[in-house]
């Protein structure tokens, strides 16, 4: 029998919602400091997903094109792409 308790980490789903990263996970038996570190890393990834181009990885902004939210830099943005209003950014979870 092991002297260490069973620790489980489940990565359930990674999705894009309103062009932001969403990571769904579960754990069982992990130390509180490890859980806090995972939460911190996920929050940072979520924040960066709203300022990193989905195409090239450059610094970018959240915008709207053909009723779809996307994060694009000036080089990658399609025609008629419009930056999202700051108030709308807060509404969808960024800003």
């Amino acid at each position: 029998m092991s002297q260490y308790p069973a620790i489980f980490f489940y990565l359930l789903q990674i999705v894009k919602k309103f062009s932001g990263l969403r990571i769904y996970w579960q754990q069982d038996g992990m130390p509180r400091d490890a859980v806090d570190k995972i939460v911190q890393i996920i929050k940072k990834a979520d924040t960066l997903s709203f300022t990193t181009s989905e195409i090239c990885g450059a610094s970018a902004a959240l915008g709207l094109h053909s009723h779809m939210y996307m994060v694009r830099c000036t080089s990658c943005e399609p025609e008629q792409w419009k930056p999202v209003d700051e108030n709308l950014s807060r509404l969808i979870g960024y800003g």
Side-chain angles (χ1 to χ4, degrees):
M1 199 156 176
S2 174
Q3 66 185 29
Y4 300 105
I7 295 175
F8 297 97
F9 177 85
Y10 303 97
L11 186 56
L12 303 173
Q13 188 177 41
I14 300 174
V15 295
K16 184 173 102 167
K17 183 174 182 182
F18 296 116
S19 277
L21 182 66
R22 300 294 185 266
I23 300 173
Y24 300 98
W25 61 285
Q26 289 181 330
Q27 63 83 25
D28 187 29
M30 292 181 74
R32 184 76 230 163
D33 60 331
V35 171
D36 292 343
K37 186 66 174 175
I38 290 170
V39 169
Q40 180 184 10
I41 290 167
I42 289 173
K43 283 182 179 180
K44 184 173 183 172
D46 179 52
T47 300
L48 287 172
S49 72
F50 283 102
T51 58
T52 306
S53 174
E54 301 163 342
I55 303 297
C56 70
S59 183
L62 179 65
L64 193 60
H65 178 264
S66 299
H67 308 290
M68 291 182 60
Y69 291 99
M70 54 184 64
V71 182
R72 301 290 164 86
C73 68
T74 54
S75 299
C76 297
E77 64 189 42
E79 286 185 35
Q80 300 178 354
W81 180 89
K82 304 231 186 284
V84 171
D85 176 272
E86 195 174 302
N87 293 324
L88 183 57
S89 293
R90 282 193 202 101
L91 181 67
I92 62 174
Y94 171 70

